[in-house]
Amino acid sequence: MKKGFKKHAILLGLSLFATQSMAALSDKEQQLADYIDKTNPAALKLLEDIVNINSGTMNFAGVKKVADVLIPEFKALGFDARFEDGSAFGRAGHLVAELNGGTGPKMLLIGHLDTVFEPDSPFQTFEKISDTQARGPGIADMKGGDVVILQALRALHDAGELKNMNILVVMTGDEELSGRPLELSKKALTDGAKWADIAIGFENGDGNPATANISRRGSIDWTLTVTGVPSHSSQIFKDNVGAGSIYEASRILNTFYTDLRSEELLTYNPGRIMGGTAVTHDRKANSGTTFGKNNVVAESTIVTGDIRAISEDQVNRVKDKMREIVAASLPKTQSTIEFGEGYPALAPTDGNKALLEIYSNVSEDLGQGKVAPVNPLNAGAADVSFTSAYVEMAIDGLGMSGSAGHTVNETGNLEALPSQSKRAAILLYRLKQQ
């Protein structure tokens, strides 16, 4: 049977299934939930252990150390688990765990090992605030989600259901700062998506367990390079000197701000600016240097940023408008803008909506209430988007909820660890039945 036809049949079956709430947990599903409650203390201990391992994206040894803790957990469940080296794309690498030979749809489960907190961050350790809250680097984004994946799989294994399933787990080591080229950095994800029928991401979404992501905006980088005529500051604005590079960069950025804001679901952010007489830019390290004096007209300015959009059409339209703005230079300045690689958009397809409905039914049957789709403005780009061109159904945001992600106040909701694990386990079980 051709994969395309098989996928269509799976989508049709699951779409029909989505309309039928079970109204109550089956005995097997209750067994899954009970197992997760029983083993939650051990899951919390694992979460604390991996949060206390620094795995900032550029700390390659730390990223691998987290994988080294998790790989034996997958092997104990019967997975072929390994760490795939990332030197070809300038990162630590990825954890990949495979379980094949079962029945039902092929499911790709997505997590990531890295955080935004490098070894020089002051934020390094797990700290329990109360019985329901804890702080820690990456606790919600997304080491809690990685433990949710494991807990769901452990429950299915304990119930004798896992051995008959087709599951591929990919936990990337560069979600927070992708390696380049993306073709290699995201190959484990795209290869997995080509194999899979369904992709499920365990990011923490918008931090609200009453929501999940069926769409995510794509994200691409841009670099603005501006040059002007260096001169003594007393000569600025004269015909032979012009405005200088910093004024020109400011004009461009302000026009971006005023002229592009009407685009729905679009954001565009300048994240770094360097200007002066001499500028260096280290793209790989996301850093640079500047030298300049107050009495010298700036010769060079570099600005880097990103664009987040809901579709490829929107990206192309915004690129054209930005190029038009850049071309309208102030006197004696020249500017260019380059667009780099990025994350594709995850569109809200019918398949994604059907998968959300199944997940929402699971939540209701657990007594946790309905689950609604996240507004794409409330969630950033994520690895699940790289599956969008290949799978019929995708959902994200099924990880452990929390708040203040990417800051030194990142907090995780400890009560969400068992509740999200139950949802995930029963979702996978119901998908297997169909």
Side-chain angles (χ1 to χ4, degrees):
M1 180 185 293
K2 291 183 178 179
K3 185 178 181 184
F5 179 80
K6 180 184 177 184
K7 278 192 170 186
H8 180 74
I10 290 171
L11 173 60
L12 179 61
L14 289 173
S15 296
L16 292 172
F17 180 62
T19 65
Q20 306 167 6
S21 175
M22 304 293 284
L25 299 183
S26 69
D27 289 344
K28 181 69 73 172
E29 291 170 348
Q30 188 61 56
Q31 182 180 349
L32 298 174
D34 290 344
Y35 174 87
I36 288 167
D37 282 333
K38 181 176 66 176
T39 59
N40 190 57
L44 286 170
K45 178 62 168 61
L46 176 62
L47 176 61
E48 180 176 354
D49 289 346
I50 60 175
V51 167
N52 282 331
I53 300 171
N54 179 279
S55 59
T57 308
M58 302 309 292
N59 179 8
F60 295 176
V63 171
K64 188 175 185 301
K65 188 174 180 181
V66 175
D68 288 343
V69 171
L70 298 178
I71 284 172
E73 303 288 345
F74 286 105
K75 287 185 175 180
L77 300 177
F79 281 79
D80 173 13
R82 62 192 181 276
F83 189 75
E84 295 189 350
D85 179 73
S87 57
F89 48 90
R91 294 295 183 267
H94 310 315
L95 185 161
V96 178
E98 300 177 82
L99 186 69
N100 286 303
T103 58
K106 297 175 179 178
M107 293 180 277
L108 171 63
L109 312 185
I110 302 169
H112 67 82
L113 306 168
D114 62 319
T115 76
V116 300
F117 304 98
E118 298 293 342
D120 60 355
S121 168
F123 193 41
Q124 295 290 340
T125 58
F126 180 98
E127 176 191 357
K128 197 168 182 182
I129 301 171
S130 69
D131 289 342
T132 61
Q133 298 285 322
R135 294 174 65 249
I139 187 169
D141 185 14
M142 66 161 289
K143 291 178 177 178
D146 295 336
V147 177
V148 167
I149 292 174
L150 264 173
Q151 276 293 84
L153 297 176
R154 286 167 170 167
L156 289 162
H157 179 266
D158 178 75
E161 297 293 332
L162 185 61
K163 61 185 177 182
N164 297 320
M165 300 176 75
N166 295 305
I167 293 178
L168 173 65
V169 179
V170 176
M171 293 182 178
T172 62
D174 67 338
E175 197 273 348
E176 301 292 3
L177 184 61
S178 295
R180 293 293 191 272
L182 286 176
E183 180 182 6
L184 295 179
S185 164
K186 305 305 177 185
K187 189 174 185 299
L189 287 171
T190 54
D191 284 353
K194 291 172 185 177
W195 166 86
D197 303 303
I198 300 168
I200 303 174
F202 288 82
E203 278 272 12
N204 58 321
D206 65 355
N208 182 357
T211 62
N213 299 80
I214 58 170
S215 64
R216 281 188 177 272
R217 294 180 299 161
S219 173
I220 63 167
D221 295 335
W222 53 266
T223 302
L224 173 68
T225 304
V226 185
T227 58
V229 176
S231 177
H232 193 283
S233 64
S234 64
Q235 305 302 299
I236 194 168
F237 308 141
K238 289 190 175 181
D239 290 346
N240 63 329
V241 175
S245 69
I246 290 179
Y247 268 124
E248 168 62 356
S250 299
R251 176 198 69 82
I252 292 169
L253 294 177
N254 185 64
T255 311
F256 285 174
Y257 177 79
T258 57
D259 288 13
L260 296 174
R261 294 183 69 194
S262 61
E263 283 272 352
E264 188 178 5
L265 297 178
L266 172 73
T267 55
Y268 42 96
N269 177 63
R272 184 167 62 253
I273 185 167
M274 299 157 286
T277 300
V279 173
T280 66
H281 182 206
D282 186 337
R283 293 175 184 263
K284 289 185 177 181
N286 290 298
S287 66
T289 64
T290 66
F291 171 80
K293 290 185 174 182
N294 294 343
N295 62 352
V296 178
V297 177
E299 180 177 5
S300 302
T301 300
I302 297 174
V303 187
T304 66
D306 73 359
I307 301 170
R308 296 174 186 267
I310 197 63
S311 69
E312 193 67 21
D313 287 344
Q314 186 178 49
V315 168
N316 291 332
R317 184 169 62 251
V318 170
K319 282 182 178 179
D320 289 343
K321 182 63 176 177
M322 293 175 85
R323 290 188 184 105
E324 180 184 326
I325 292 167
V326 167
S329 298
L330 290 176
K332 297 296 180 180
T333 64
Q334 292 184 322
S335 305
T336 60
I337 189 166
E338 300 172 297
F339 298 96
E341 298 179 298
Y343 280 55
L346 177 69
T349 65
D350 289 343
N352 297 358
K353 293 173 185 176
L355 186 55
L356 174 63
E357 190 168 355
I358 297 170
Y359 184 65
S360 182
N361 288 343
V362 169
S363 180
E364 287 191 272
D365 293 345
L366 280 164
Q368 297 182 22
K370 291 185 177 181
V371 182
V374 174
N375 183 329
L377 283 174
N378 296 334
D383 280 340
V384 70
S385 297
F386 286 93
T387 72
S388 61
Y390 308 106
V391 298
E392 293 290 343
M393 305 177 110
I395 193 172
D396 196 14
L398 274 59
M400 193 181 87
S401 58
S403 61
H406 288 208
T407 78
V408 295
N409 295 310
E410 182 174 348
T411 302
N413 177 4
L414 301 181
E415 290 181 315
L417 183 60
S419 63
Q420 294 295 90
S421 299
K422 291 174 189 177
R423 285 172 161 180
I426 296 172
L427 173 67
L428 297 178
Y429 174 75
R430 290 189 182 180
L431 291 173
K432 175 197 173 187
Q433 305 312 306
Q434 302 303 308

